[in-house]
Amino acid sequence: MALKEVIKKMKENNKNFFFGEGNWREVSNKYFKFKRILSDDEIIIITNNVREVKESLVLVVDNNKVIYLKDWQVEPVKAYNENIYAYAVKLNKKYFKTYAFKNEFKDFCFKEEDTFDTLKEVAEIQEKEDIAFSWDKWSVEKL
């Protein structure tokens, strides 16, 4: 197998692992679209609310509350034809547990705490928009 084919197969395997086999489709050699609602208890959202706290990735869901994430739950993405650099975050209702910090995050202002159900509503809206994304690694400094 040629190196080009090996790399293509690796990218395909990575997408199957993150998005689920059959839950994504290519729209060009660089961009793809994917389902946001994988099941009643599993979603993928596009967000910029990901931060690093003490060398751990977290999803900020309120002014002082987060969900801790594993490395395999977060992937940087870039929207097709738009200057949107964000993260695809895979969430499971079973493991959706919030942790509160004593101090609030300075760069966030929530009216109310995001729950799995409110984020599922966001995922449903994003799925209707059906924007294509690339999965090329980009610099986090662009956020």
Side-chain angles (χ1 to χ4, degrees):
M1 203 180 321
L3 180 59
K4 185 177 179 179
E5 292 173 15
V6 170
I7 292 171
K8 184 177 179 178
K9 188 67 175 168
M10 285 175 51
K11 286 182 180 181
E12 185 177 311
N13 287 341
N14 288 340
K15 288 177 191 166
N16 283 338
F17 174 77
F18 189 81
F19 300 106
E21 195 167 345
N23 289 330
W24 63 275
R25 64 181 169 82
E26 290 185 351
V27 293
S28 73
N29 62 349
K30 186 174 181 178
Y31 291 93
F32 59 95
K33 294 182 177 186
F34 57 94
K35 292 182 182 178
R36 307 302 196 284
I37 310 296
L38 305 178
S39 70
D40 285 340
D41 295 334
E42 194 168 31
I43 61 172
I44 298 174
I45 61 167
I46 303 298
T47 183
N48 281 325
N49 291 1
V50 175
R51 294 294 181 265
E52 188 174 333
V53 175
K54 296 184 181 180
E55 298 182 17
S56 294
L57 293 174
V58 297
L59 174 66
V60 181
V61 294
D62 200 2
N63 296 320
N64 70 332
K65 294 181 181 175
V66 302
I67 304 293
Y68 278 91
L69 302 170
K70 303 288 186 189
D71 290 343
W72 57 267
Q73 289 179 277
V74 181
E75 287 294 337
V77 292
K78 179 188 179 302
Y80 176 74
N81 281 342
E82 298 183 35
N83 198 19
I84 299 173
Y85 294 88
Y87 296 97
V89 178
K90 191 173 191 176
L91 298 170
N92 189 306
K93 189 173 190 173
K94 183 177 176 181
Y95 303 107
F96 196 90
K97 183 175 180 199
T98 59
Y99 294 89
F101 289 96
K102 187 175 14 175
N103 299 320
E104 293 187 352
F105 289 92
K106 294 179 182 175
D107 53 344
F108 289 95
C109 184
F110 288 83
K111 289 182 183 176
E112 60 184 45
E113 180 179 345
D114 280 331
T115 64
F116 184 84
D117 293 329
T118 61
L119 292 175
K120 187 174 181 180
E121 290 172 10
V122 170
E124 289 169 350
I125 292 167
Q126 290 178 351
E127 191 163 72
K128 288 177 187 171
E129 291 176 0
D130 201 28
I131 297 173
F133 287 90
S134 69
W135 202 356
D136 292 332
K137 301 298 181 201
W138 45 268
S139 173
V140 176
E141 296 162 2
K142 290 186 179 181
L143 288 179

